[in-house]
Every structure is written in structure tokens, then in C-alpha cells.
Amino acid sequence: MTTIMVPPTCDAIPPVEGDPAGVRTFVDDLLASAVNVDDLDTFARDSARLDGWSGAAADAYGRYVRDTAADADAISAAVRRVARAGEDHAEALTELRRRRDLLDEDRTGYHAARSDLLADIRATTDADPAAVRELEDRAAALTSRLQTLVEDVDRLVRDVTAAEQAMLDALTSFSTLGQARAAVTGGTDLADAALARPGSPSSGGSPAEVAAWWDGLSEDEQLAVLAAHPEVVGNADGIPAVIRDRANRLLLETDLSALELREERGEILPAEDREALENGRAARAALAQGAQEVDPVTREPLVPLLHLYDPRAFGGDGRVAIAFGDPDTADHVSVMVPGLTSRGTAAETNAEAAFHIYESARYSDPHSSVASIMWIGYDAPSDWDSLTVAREDRAIAGGERLAQYVEGLRASREGSPAHLTVVGHSYGSTTTAHAASDHGLAADDIVLVGSPGAGGEVDHASDLGVGADHVWAGNNSRDPVAMLADNGWVGGGTLFGAGMGNDVGEDDFGANRFQAESTSRGEGLDPFADHTKYFDRNTESLFNIGQIVVGDYDEVLRAEHTYDPWWWDPVDPERHRTPTEIRRREEW
């Protein structure tokens, strides 16, 4: 009787303890701490000398404060190094867990093959030598397979131990202030050295130069700059979107923590701090709401990116940009530029509009990737200065900022260029037009909705630099803001500097006009209600914007232009057309 040696079962694969997501949260907390300590370093250095105070006491005070600054610098550097080790540990855990899952699959496959072999052995007799040899060969192969599996498991266990020890070493290397001081003594701060290089944001580099500068930094240098100067990284055009998001979230977290703590203590915040707190809370709420959205095609959750954050900009109005999708990798990218009343506290409403554009574009082309950004990056008329909406000054200044921002989107791009559309709404349409006519806005398509005009110097869509065929106008016939634009040859809309220029929906302007009527037009008592419906779901306007964003121009629902007979008032053919409700499929 022949004996076939079947290898034994394989022990269970040991688990890989640790959660990469939890480690990354820990790293973010460390980086937020490093930001705060670095701020203490800067504050202390700036406070080392007090005007009008001299003598021995002043000298002693200066030494004490400078020592405090040096210690803060050492602590910040040490915390950054631990954070860097934490990033490595999170990556290692991710890879180790992947390997462990693969080994578990191999073990399952091994046991299935072993069970099949045992069943075949029981069904075979010695009378069939060929079958017995085949069973022996299978048993030998299984033995080799088990040996490889055991060796791979041993290697996994060793690598897990090494990863844990590396993290433990990093944590214990800076457990005392003396260790932190020793680590930075005589050394150059990585962040300061990196920012001193040509092309950095602090050196005035262009978006393309900033992108090249960032790519040229090592991972250690990138993390050092991120932790020491998140306000520079987060708002630098040319930096990758996911990096800007991380830096800006650090700023948001540290801002809110500090300001809300003061508020909880009963402190009466100065006006500038109160405005910064309101802007920060609005950004946090917009991100939280955005995180509840899902991609309409895949149904996967979306993680909005905080692409711009400066709650104290423009005298407290603030700057903020939030992206759905990654503009560095998406096939189609859109930037929505809002108008009147747009400031930091309007982040949630405008982020919702950006998501609706994302959603419409994905419905329009479910096979392409999309990124949709809302950009409040200029000083739009709002609050006490709302009357400046009657002049172009802010649109002119905002146009320069917008052009640089879009240039940054191009510079940080991975791979081939995206199809990029800028959607200007209301006063934001005038800002968009100035970015195009004054600064060569690097867009493929320009969409102007609810527009009071494209600026007094723009006579025709071809003046915007993208070709008249790629300029799109969507003005609701009941929109009172769109009615402010000039019609006819007199030019009264820019009389004495007031007004925003020609009607972009008029035949003489030469843009592609698309249907943008709402089925609820004219309803209610608010005379400006129709001005705010362009990004509402199920509207003609949102449908057409989605088609333009993905470049599906043939599907855009065209509208007849407004025209201005010399003997009568301007005529809008859309005024008497029955609007259509456009519903999109909820699933593909």
C-alpha cells in the first residue's frame, strides 16, 4: 500500500495591528501642534525687544524670550520629525495589511487544494500507478507551497515588528526637551531652507515656478514646509490640490481651536477675530456638508478639498475655495466664480452650487472624471461695500487673481491638460471676463450666467481670448441683474463708469446663448429670486452647464439671442418660452 505524505494545515495568519487612518489622524494632530508651537517661536522672536526699554533687565528679558523661541523652534522641529515617522508608519501599515490580506487568500487557497488532494487520495487505489504518481506530485507541490507561505508569514511578522520599532524609536527620540534641542543644534531648519530656494511662494515664484519648486523638494522638506508654514502652502497656486487641502485644514483646525477656546472662556473677540471665526465655521460647515455627498455615478462618498483658505483676507471678508474631485487628475475641471455678497461666510451655499455642477457634469459624461471648484478668491462686493457692484474696480482686481489661480491649476496638473471651464455668475461673470480680456485666462470654455455684462472694454465674445464659439451666455429672462447690462449702440450701461458693459446674451455680443429659464421664474415676492436659480437641480441652466463642462456641445440646449431694434426696447425671445424641468437619472 502506497503512503502519500500530505502537508499539514497552515496556522492562521497573524493580524497586523494598527489602523493607518488612525495614524494619519494622529499625524495631523501632531502637525497642528507643530503649527501652534512654530507660531510661538515667531511670536517670541518678534517680542525679544520692546521699544523704549533698555538696561540689564531688558537684556535679561531678551535672553529669556530668545531662549523660549529657540525651545519652541526645537519642539516644533522634533514634532515634525515624529509626524514624518508617523507618515512612514501609516504607509507601512497600509502595505503590511495588504500583504497580510494576500497571505490570507493564499492560505485559503492552500487549504482548498489540500482538501481536494485528500478527497482524491481517498478515491484512488494502488491499482492505478499513474494516478498515484500524480497525487504524489500534487502533495510535493503542496509541501513547497506551504513552505513558501510559512516563509512569507515569517517575513511579514519581522516587517511588522520593524515598523513598530521604527515608530517607537521616533516617539522616544524626542521624549525630553534636551533631546529636541540636541536634534536641532547647529542645524538648518528644513522649512526655512526650502522656502529660501528660487521659485518658492515666498520668493514670488509664478505658479509654474512654484510647481517646479515643490516637486524638487524631498518628502522631509515638503512636510517641514507644510507644518511650519501651512498658510504659504495652502494658498500657493501651483501646489498640488491634496497638499493645499492638508495645509488649509491644518490652518482651519488651529484657527477654530484657538478662537473657539477664547469664545468659550467668555472673551469678547475683536471684530477681526469674530469675522475670522465666522468664516472658519462656514468653511468647516461647507466641508462637512460636502463630505455627505456621493458621486452620482459610482455612489462613492466624496471628500471635498479645501483649496484656498484665508479667513482674514479682504478686511475680514475672507477667501475660500472648495473642490469636489481632484483638479490635478480630473479629465474636466470647472471653476465657479460667484458674485455679489460672496465672502467667506457664503462658503456652504457656493460649495453646494459647485457640487451641483459636479453632479450635472458626471451625469453628462459618466465615463470621464470631473472636478468642480467654487472660488471666492477675490474681494466681491458684499455687506457695507455692496454698492461697489455698480463699478468694475473689484472685477478688474479679481480678474487678475482669477487668472493666476487658473494658471496654478494648469501648473499643478498631473499628466495631460484638463478641459477647463470657468463659470462666472453675476458680478463673478464680469470678473471672469476681465481675467480673460486683461490677463489671458487659461480656460477652454467661459460660461457667463446671470451676467450684468462682460466689462466696458469688451465689445464682442471674441475679445475674451477663447474664441467666440467657446463663450457661453445663460441669462434668465426674469433676472433683474442681467437686465442691468447694456443693449444697443448708445452704451449707456457704462455711462460715467457705472454698469458692467454689454448684454452677453444679445446677438451683437456673439456668444452662444443657452436656455436658462426656471420653471419657477417670477414666483414669490423676492425680485432677485431668479438671479439665484442658475445652479439649482433640474434646471435648464444646470443641465447646459454640465454639458459645456464635459465638452459635449451638441447636447447644449440653445436659446435665441436677445436683440435690440432701434425703434423699440430690447426683445428677449426667451421671455415667452415655456421653461422645461430637466430631471437626470439617479443611477447609471
Side-chain angles (χ1 to χ4, degrees):
M1 182 177 181
T2 303
T3 300
I4 298 176
M5 301 300 297
V6 177
T9 58
C10 180
D11 293 338
I13 310 298
V16 176
E17 302 292 348
D19 175 22
V23 174
R24 291 190 176 94
T25 299
F26 168 68
V27 168
D28 287 341
D29 289 342
L30 285 177
L31 291 177
S33 299
V35 171
N36 286 326
V37 177
D38 201 83
D39 288 344
L40 172 61
D41 170 29
T42 302
F43 174 79
R45 291 184 190 280
D46 291 343
S47 305
R49 294 185 63 86
L50 300 180
D51 292 340
W53 189 21
S54 60
D59 292 341
Y61 166 81
R63 287 192 299 272
Y64 176 80
V65 172
R66 283 190 292 272
D67 287 345
T68 300
D71 286 346
D73 182 47
I75 293 170
S76 177
V79 171
R80 293 200 307 263
R81 293 189 187 188
V82 176
R84 180 72 183 90
E87 292 220 320
D88 290 342
H89 188 58
E91 292 178 6
L93 277 178
T94 300
E95 174 60 18
L96 290 167
R97 288 163 70 97
R98 185 191 68 83
R99 286 169 53 189
R100 194 264 174 200
D101 289 343
L102 291 176
L103 287 174
D104 202 43
E105 292 177 7
D106 289 346
R107 176 177 178 270
T108 299
Y110 168 79
H111 284 157
R114 182 177 181 276
S115 296
D116 290 343
L117 176 59
L118 289 172
D120 291 344
I121 289 173
R122 287 192 291 269
T124 302
T125 66
D126 287 342
D128 188 350
V132 170
R133 284 194 298 272
E134 189 266 338
L135 293 173
E136 290 174 335
D137 290 342
R138 286 169 59 187
L142 267 183
T143 300
S144 177
R145 183 173 176 179
L146 176 62
Q147 182 178 355
T148 300
L149 186 54
V150 170
E151 291 173 353
D152 289 343
V153 170
D154 289 343
R155 190 176 300 109
L156 174 70
V157 171
R158 290 196 299 271
D159 290 347
V160 167
T161 301
E164 291 176 345
Q165 188 60 50
M167 190 68 233
L168 181 62
D169 290 345
L171 290 168
T172 56
S173 293
F174 305 104
S175 56
T176 67
L177 180 57
Q179 289 173 314
R181 287 170 177 163
V184 299
T185 300
T188 301
D189 185 272
L190 282 178
D192 292 342
L195 285 172
R197 295 182 191 173
S200 74
S202 58
S203 70
S206 68
E209 290 170 336
V210 168
W213 165 80
W214 181 261
D215 288 343
L217 299 181
S218 68
E219 290 185 358
D220 285 341
E221 290 170 328
Q222 289 178 349
L223 188 67
V225 175
L226 174 68
H229 301 284
E231 75 286 352
V232 174
V233 175
N235 298 318
D237 296 320
I239 299 290
V242 293
I243 302 299
R244 293 181 66 162
D245 172 70
R246 190 172 188 187
N248 286 324
R249 285 178 185 263
L250 280 174
L251 285 173
L252 177 63
E253 178 63 29
T254 53
D255 280 351
L256 289 177
S257 295
L259 291 171
E260 288 180 337
L261 178 60
R262 291 169 60 189
E263 184 182 55
E264 290 169 5
R265 290 173 173 172
E267 182 177 338
I268 299 176
L269 299 178
E272 59 270 22
D273 289 345
R274 168 57 57 184
E275 289 175 328
L277 177 57
E278 291 174 353
N279 290 335
R281 283 173 169 164
R284 179 172 62 188
L287 292 170
Q289 176 58 38
Q292 302 301 311
E293 305 291 2
V294 297
D295 183 281
V297 178
T298 66
R299 312 308 298 176
E300 293 292 324
L302 290 173
V303 179
L305 302 177
L306 187 55
H307 206 243
L308 182 67
Y309 174 72
D310 184 354
R312 299 178 185 273
F314 308 131
D317 282 357
R319 297 194 299 162
V320 62
I322 292 176
F324 293 91
D326 187 347
D328 292 334
T329 60
D331 300 320
H332 304 282
V333 177
S334 67
V335 180
M336 190 274 286
V337 184
L340 180 67
T341 73
S342 297
R343 50 169 297 166
T345 51
E348 195 167 2
T349 299
N350 285 287
E352 181 181 33
F355 173 70
H356 287 173
I357 293 174
Y358 174 92
E359 192 175 47
S360 180
R362 288 286 284 143
Y363 278 133
S364 299
D365 183 0
H367 305 296
S368 296
S369 55
V370 172
S372 173
I373 307 169
M374 80 83 177
W375 180 81
I376 304 177
Y378 74 111
D379 193 5
S382 61
D383 301 327
W384 64 269
D385 56 14
S386 293
L387 292 180
T388 58
V389 73
R391 300 183 61 87
E392 294 182 50
D393 307 60
R394 295 183 181 233
I396 293 171
E400 182 176 5
R401 289 180 176 274
L402 175 60
Q404 179 168 314
Y405 179 77
V406 171
E407 184 184 347
L409 293 176
R410 295 292 195 191
S412 63
R413 177 78 185 171
E414 297 178 9
S416 59
H419 171 246
L420 198 150
T421 303
V422 178
V423 183
H425 174 239
S426 185
Y427 194 82
S429 71
T430 313
T431 301
T432 299
H434 272 290
S437 61
D438 301 348
H439 303 285
L441 180 66
D444 297 296
D445 285 281
I446 292 175
V447 180
L448 309 175
V449 293
S451 177
E457 301 299 320
V458 176
D459 296 322
H460 192 269
S462 58
D463 295 336
L464 299 183
V466 297
D469 288 346
H470 291 276
V471 178
W472 305 82
N475 281 354
N476 186 310
S477 64
R478 304 299 201 277
D479 183 350
V481 175
M483 295 176 189
L484 297 175
D486 183 43
N487 295 95
W489 57 273
V490 177
T494 57
L495 190 62
F496 304 120
M500 299 296 109
N502 295 324
D503 181 353
V504 300
E506 192 175 22
D507 51 0
D508 288 344
F509 187 74
N512 299 293
R513 188 183 185 192
F514 57 84
Q515 295 178 4
E517 302 296 305
S518 169
T519 56
S520 63
R521 67 185 182 187
E523 295 179 0
L525 299 178
D526 183 359
F528 288 94
D530 284 301
H531 184 59
T532 62
K533 297 175 181 177
Y534 292 99
F535 306 113
D536 288 355
R537 283 184 171 126
N538 305 325
T539 58
E540 297 173 347
S541 175
L542 185 64
F543 170 85
N544 288 317
I545 290 171
Q547 301 294 343
I548 296 165
V549 166
V550 298
D552 198 354
Y553 309 127
D554 291 341
E555 296 300 317
V556 175
L557 304 174
R558 309 292 177 119
E560 292 186 55
H561 291 94
T562 299
Y563 61 94
D564 189 17
W566 64 269
W567 66 87
W568 200 249
D569 291 335
V571 177
D572 187 352
E574 287 288 279
R575 189 168 186 84
H576 303 291
R577 181 181 63 80
T578 301
T580 303
E581 182 178 42
I582 302 179
R583 291 194 171 274
R584 311 303 293 263
R585 282 186 290 171
E586 293 299 321
E587 295 182 2
W588 291 87

